[in-house]
Amino acid sequence: MAKAKTIKPGLVVTDAFINAEDNRAFIALWITRILQEPIYRRRVEVYEGFRNLSGIDFAMMLDIDMHLDDKDSDFKDALSALAPHVVAVNSQLEKSNLRFKGPLGDNLRAISDMLNLSDVEQHLLGLFSLISTVKKFENFTDFLDGLSRQELVNVLAVFLKQPRLAINEALNRTGRLHQAGLLKVDNSSVGDLSRKVDLLTGFADLITAESQAPLDLLSRYFVLSSQSHLTLDNYPHLQEQTQTVLDYLQNQTHKTGINILVHGEPGTGKTQWIKALAQQLKTQLFEIVSEDEDGDGIIASRRIDVYKLAQSALAHQGKCLMMFDEVEDVFPTDNLFSFFSSPRQRGNNSKAWINQLLETNPVPTFWVSNAVRQIDAAYLRRFDMVIELSNPPRSVRRTILNDLFAQLPVKTSWLDELAKQPGLVPAVIERAVKVTKTLHNETMTTQQLQDKVLSLVNATLQAQGKKEIKLKNLDSKLDYSLQYLNTDVNLDKLVDGVKQRKQGRFCLYGLPGTGKTAFGHYLAEQLDKPLLIKRASDLLSPYVGEAEQNIAYAFKEAQREGAVLQIDEADSFLQSRENAVRSWEVTQVNEMLTQMEAFEGVFIASTNLVKNLDAAAMRRFDVKMEFKPLQPDQAWWLFQTLFKESEFSQIELEQIKEQLSQLSLLTPGDFAAVKRKFSLGYQDFEPGLVLQALSEECSYKPGYAKQNGIGFMSGLGVQ
């Protein structure tokens, strides 16, 4: 054993040691207390794991100056040499009435005042903060391994010189430290001291670094939300939900357990809406962080700890709200992944514990999720409100696009078409515009600019597993107007009626191209709803029973998205059951009838073969409309739209109108097809050639009879 001799007669503990801001006096006090307990002294003497603690380290922790022949002497040698002095050091420190010094002391007292912590709870935080930040002290506590819950309580009672009952209460789940998420005990297994008690990640470093105001100190875990760049006026489609939330929060002050779940696909503006609500309420909104200081994601159980800390810290800070974003992984599930995840990942998020969390929070909280399918119904029913933010309706998307593209030279017609895309959420287009503004220069044409935006948008949609957006060729598209539809129904009154009732079942029948599908688009636009079109190829299946499932899902999808549902080629599903040969032909009709009866939205069935429809189906339609070929004056209006920038003499106008009137079975679809045909540039766009092309379109239709004597004048472009 190396020989040691003391340089400080009487081992007087210096004032500098007691008042040091690194709180070394507390470490010495705790060490001397534990070494005076025979049971722990023996554990120290037989422990073989002190590889990172030298004799000099041990002496310095006790403020004892000593010289050893071997500077790297063994810790146990020093322990034996200094044994007579441990009691004296302890006696001096016990009389010193120690208080935590420096940043640790300031921050501990501030946190204790905020959370109303007891002296025992404050000293527990101080103890484990120093174990976490002073490596030599942590090395010394290594001998305290294999601790059960009761053994842990006994050890801490010695360290802090407090009754075991007080220590036990401070460590309980009902205690303020656990409720605040600062400190919790792993009761599931035995372990060493530094791992048996789990301090909130990063808290020890924060509390010992520098003195800060409590909320500044905790800003690593929750932060004051930034201002929303939107207002509630940007959410006209949520007017009812907005007013309900505002009224509810204004009338629920000083009540606990106020929780609102807000969900919807990414990019629909959930967080901006919540921020706008807080601004309207003139209330501070705090956000729970989802990443640590290194930018790494925080596991679910840790985020719950942070949430609990924020609730405790803000409980008495006046009127405020909290937002907990990306909560998909917070709520425990019974799925396979949850079963195989580690206990530390799962944390202690039992149903009873989560339910209590949702019933006792003092600060009203918005829980934000991209999806709620994985959340157990037991949790869902404990939210005061569950609000879905779906993609804004077309009119709102159009307003958003106006704002975003205000400084970019894009076509109005292109924006109109872009606004019709139901899968385009605001956040996706906002980021695409942000990039495009950076890339835009004077040499970039309008078309190149529009193509660049669409390319960026589609790249994001592809990464999200969604369909790309493909805009129609606007130059080859006809302008839509109800005056081009030939029906016996007043369509303007019909649309007004549907706007009021918000529901209806319609059967549209007639020749192809008469505008049945186009009317579905128009009606959906007037209702400011998306249009969900399903064709026979989307719903039919070679497998028995699958077509019925597809039909049911189409109605469910329309109901969920608040869409107008249009099924083209409806005769494939609604053919008369009297002529059915196979059983599945009957079951498909039955399923369609059942879904039609239960659907509360707007449903459109279009067909070219109305005589084949089942009689029961026909009775279920509120309105049955035949779309007929164009009347002569309608055909003339459409022809004029094609040549609205051309000038003709009166004689030429009369000749064109006369020849156009001789074309039977003309439809709006024929004009659209001809315009697309000429947009390819293979022929000059001249009236005579257009008349000839329209005649060819009619000739392909059954029952078409070419009028005698029809011919196109050379003066109109045809030789």
Side-chain angles (χ1 to χ4, degrees), residues 81-235:
L82 297 176
H85 311 301
V86 169
V87 176
V89 172
N90 175 260
S91 177
Q92 296 241 358
L93 292 175
E94 295 284 10
K95 295 175 183 177
S96 300
N97 192 24
L98 296 180
R99 296 181 75 240
F100 289 107
K101 303 292 193 304
L104 175 61
D106 294 340
N107 292 330
L108 267 179
R109 285 184 282 276
I111 291 292
S112 295
D113 290 341
M114 174 185 282
L115 304 181
N116 194 27
L117 300 181
S118 67
D119 286 342
V120 173
E121 291 165 334
Q122 184 180 149
H123 279 74
L124 281 170
L125 275 184
L127 170 64
F128 285 100
S129 294
L130 289 174
I131 289 176
S132 297
T133 55
V134 180
K135 191 64 178 176
K136 299 302 181 183
F137 184 34
E138 182 184 10
N139 290 341
F140 172 78
T141 65
D142 284 347
F143 79 95
L144 295 167
D145 58 356
L147 298 177
S148 65
R149 165 64 185 239
Q150 190 55 52
E151 289 170 332
L152 171 67
V153 171
N154 293 339
V155 168
L156 294 177
V158 173
F159 266 128
L160 301 183
K161 207 173 184 179
Q162 293 289 337
R164 287 191 292 271
L165 179 61
I167 298 295
N168 193 56
E169 289 178 351
L171 296 178
N172 275 343
R173 290 182 178 277
T174 56
R176 282 178 285 261
L177 291 177
H178 186 91
Q179 291 295 315
L182 285 173
L183 185 150
K184 58 186 177 182
V185 179
D186 180 7
N187 293 317
S188 61
S189 61
V190 297
D192 58 49
L193 181 64
S194 61
R195 292 176 176 81
K196 186 69 176 173
V197 176
D198 199 5
L199 198 63
L200 180 64
T201 303
F203 183 76
D205 292 327
L206 281 178
I207 203 170
T208 57
E210 61 178 307
S211 301
Q212 301 181 68
L215 290 183
D216 293 335
L217 177 70
L218 301 177
S219 61
R220 174 185 291 187
Y221 306 110
F222 58 92
V223 295
L224 186 63
S225 178
S226 61
Q227 292 288 302
S228 173
H229 61 266
L230 300 177
T231 69
L232 294 178
D233 292 337
N234 296 113
Y235 296 87

Side-chain angles (χ1 to χ4, degrees), residues 383-396:
F383 288 102
D384 300 293
M385 283 181 257
V386 178
I387 297 173
E388 180 179 9
L389 262 69
S390 56
N391 197 24
R394 181 193 58 81
S395 61
V396 177

Side-chain angles (χ1 to χ4, degrees), residues 414-434:
W414 182 79
L415 288 179
D416 290 337
E417 195 66 25
L418 196 61
K420 294 178 183 178
Q421 310 305 313
L424 185 60
V425 296
V428 172
I429 189 66
E430 183 179 357
R431 287 175 175 81
V433 172
K434 177 183 176 181

